[in-house]
Amino acid sequence: MTIRVIHWLPLAITAFCLSHALPLSSKMINNIFYAGIALPAVAHFCVQQRDTLWAMTKTLLAPLALILVISIIAAESLSDLKFTLYLFLFAISLNLRNEGKSSADKGLFFASLVWMVILSAITFHWAILSLEAGASIRYSQILGIQANPVHVALIIGTSIGFLWIFHLEPILRGKSTALYAVGFLSCVALFLLTVIMFQARSALVGLALFFVFSLYIQGKRAVIMLLVIAMGVTLAIALGADDVLAHRGLSYRPAIWQDAIVRLLLNCSLAWGCGHDDYLFAGRFPHPHSGYISVLYQTGVVGFSAFTLFALIFFLRGVRSQSRWLPVAMIGWGALITTSNGMFTSPSHPLWIYFWLPTLMCLLEQQEDTHRLPD
């Protein structure tokens, strides 16, 4: 079982990360998680590595207890509480290690390479469609299948960030400054291209935070990275990227958020929130379009306070360990400022890839130091 699970989980995680590029139902994606990832992982750790399972349980106890509190407040039925269990099973499956690398490292690496191939195909198709239309279009499909452009941009952005932080940057770190700058400029260019093609302004927030935290953990190369970022953004603006992103008009989010907060204050319990209701925000939107506003709206001050403590634990562990997962996770954390209806969903939601996967790995950093940056 040891050999089979060690080699199986990275493949299952790869399949899970790529499932949103395929015409699969939510039920089928959930089944990939349940049968392909969760059950093999728990069987392996219970039989083969009970001490490691206990160590991970202690590491995750405080943050997952806070998530459970939020789930209890927001739950409409007892079945809603299983989210915390699924999150724990996902965490232990990601952290199964072989030859110093976790299954998350291997699984996301292979998935990221495939997403880069998909990005190449999308870029070619987008260029043709934009030329035919005489203007930059908003791409909203994968392999001919309609998809949410923001979620696709965030998964691709997470793949780019992961490949840079874990694979390209360590190689270029010992090379010349010019070669390092060219490599990082390529990373910036891919990020900006992704945002422009999908016109994903929410993803832009996450990518900005990725750069900020990358500058923090890279130390000696921070000045070079800052200059390259400035160069890339300036070039993108000169080529009209700002006009493309502004083409869809002003965002409705400030009005949506104001309406959500006013309703929470006047029509619901400020302490416990409004729960899951059918209210249309600003008269037309079914959810607050912010993961954080959604937590506040649905669970009130009590639930939002629990989430704030969870976020504090996450940031403290990530900063203390100088985790390379921290900037990757910030893509999702930044994006949830302006997108999503909360973050407590079934595994079929894409945010399990761009938010929960790197977040859980960052939380587990203190349990393993194998990802700590060299001095």
Side-chain angles (χ1 to χ4, degrees):
M1 178 182 288
T2 302
I3 296 176
R4 287 202 298 265
V5 171
I6 283 174
H7 291 90
W8 168 258
L9 276 179
L11 296 175
I13 291 170
T14 298
F16 181 64
C17 291
L18 292 173
S19 61
H20 296 280
L22 300 172
L24 302 178
S25 65
S26 295
K27 183 177 181 180
M28 191 171 295
I29 296 175
N30 284 335
N31 287 338
I32 292 174
F33 172 80
Y34 302 144
I37 296 176
L39 291 179
V42 73
H44 168 79
F45 279 106
C46 287
V47 174
Q48 301 288 342
Q49 296 185 22
R50 296 178 186 176
D51 291 342
T52 303
L53 177 62
W54 175 239
M56 285 192 288
T57 301
K58 290 190 292 183
T59 300
L60 293 169
L61 185 60
L64 288 188
L66 293 168
I67 295 299
L68 180 60
V69 169
I70 301 169
S71 299
I72 291 172
I73 297 172
E76 295 181 307
S77 64
L78 289 176
S79 63
D80 294 334
L81 302 182
K82 60 188 178 184
F83 169 80
T84 307
L85 174 62
Y86 293 159
L87 210 56
F88 173 72
L89 295 177
F90 192 36
I92 64 173
S93 69
L94 293 173
N95 205 40
L96 177 61
R97 295 184 177 272
N98 180 31
E99 298 178 352
K101 289 189 176 182
S102 69
S103 51
D105 293 330
K106 297 177 180 178
L108 189 54
F109 173 69
F110 292 123
S112 296
L113 292 180
V114 176
W115 275 109
M116 292 304 97
V117 175
I118 293 173
L119 176 61
S120 300
I122 287 174
T123 302
F124 181 72
H125 193 212
W126 169 79
I128 293 175
L129 294 177
S130 295
L131 286 173
E132 291 176 350
S136 178
I137 67 163
R138 188 187 196 195
Y139 205 83
S140 59
Q141 54 181 298
I142 309 178
L143 307 179
I145 306 164
Q146 284 298 119
N148 185 306
V150 174
H151 293 317
V152 176
L154 287 168
I155 293 175
I156 293 175
T158 299
S159 299
I160 297 169
F162 170 79
L163 288 174
W164 168 255
I165 291 289
F166 281 81
H167 296 279
L168 295 179
E169 197 279 336
I171 294 173
L172 296 175
R173 190 184 301 143
K175 306 297 182 180
S176 68
T177 299
L179 189 58
Y180 189 94
V182 170
F184 187 60
L185 181 59
S186 300
C187 175
V188 174
L190 287 176
F191 273 138
L192 294 176
L193 176 64
T194 300
V195 170
I196 291 168
M197 286 195 302
F198 292 101
Q199 296 184 19
R201 292 179 292 193
S202 295
L204 190 60
V205 179
L207 299 181
L209 286 181
F210 168 83
F211 289 133
V212 169
F213 280 81
S214 294
L215 290 170
Y216 169 73
I217 69 169
Q218 296 302 337
K220 296 178 182 179
R221 297 285 190 175
V223 175
I224 300 170
M225 295 174 69
L226 189 60
L227 291 174
V228 169
I229 292 170
M231 182 189 304
V233 172
T234 301
L235 182 60
I237 293 174
L239 294 174
D242 55 332
D243 292 332
V244 172
L245 294 176
H247 178 70
R248 290 166 51 222
L250 296 175
S251 175
Y252 290 97
R253 283 169 177 75
I256 296 171
W257 299 341
Q258 180 182 5
D259 190 24
I261 293 173
V262 168
R263 177 170 169 78
L264 173 64
L265 293 174
L266 299 181
N267 301 99
C268 304
S269 167
L270 180 60
W272 303 106
C274 301
H276 299 276
D277 55 18
D278 297 323
Y279 182 72
L280 293 178
F281 300 91
R284 55 183 291 194
F285 299 98
H287 62 79
H289 283 270
S290 168
Y292 308 122
I293 297 294
S294 293
V295 172
L296 176 61
Y297 178 80
Q298 293 169 6
T299 65
V301 172
V302 176
F304 192 75
S305 297
F307 179 76
T308 301
L309 289 175
F310 170 82
L312 185 61
I313 293 172
F314 163 75
F315 283 111
L316 287 176
R317 289 188 184 179
V319 171
R320 185 185 301 125
S321 64
Q322 289 279 285
S323 172
R324 288 190 292 179
W325 285 105
L326 181 59
V328 179
M330 292 315 299
I331 295 174
W333 280 81
L336 288 183
I337 296 173
T338 57
T339 192
S340 186
N341 182 27
M343 55 213 70
F344 310 111
T345 66
S346 70
S348 62
H349 196 288
L351 67 80
W352 275 65
I353 300 169
Y354 64 76
F355 180 82
W356 284 118
L357 190 156
T359 295
L360 291 171
M361 289 305 296
C362 191
L363 283 169
L364 286 165
E365 199 74 271
Q366 74 169 26
Q367 200 244 341
E368 289 281 355
D369 280 335
T370 56
H371 296 116
R372 187 179 177 87
L373 284 175
D375 295 329

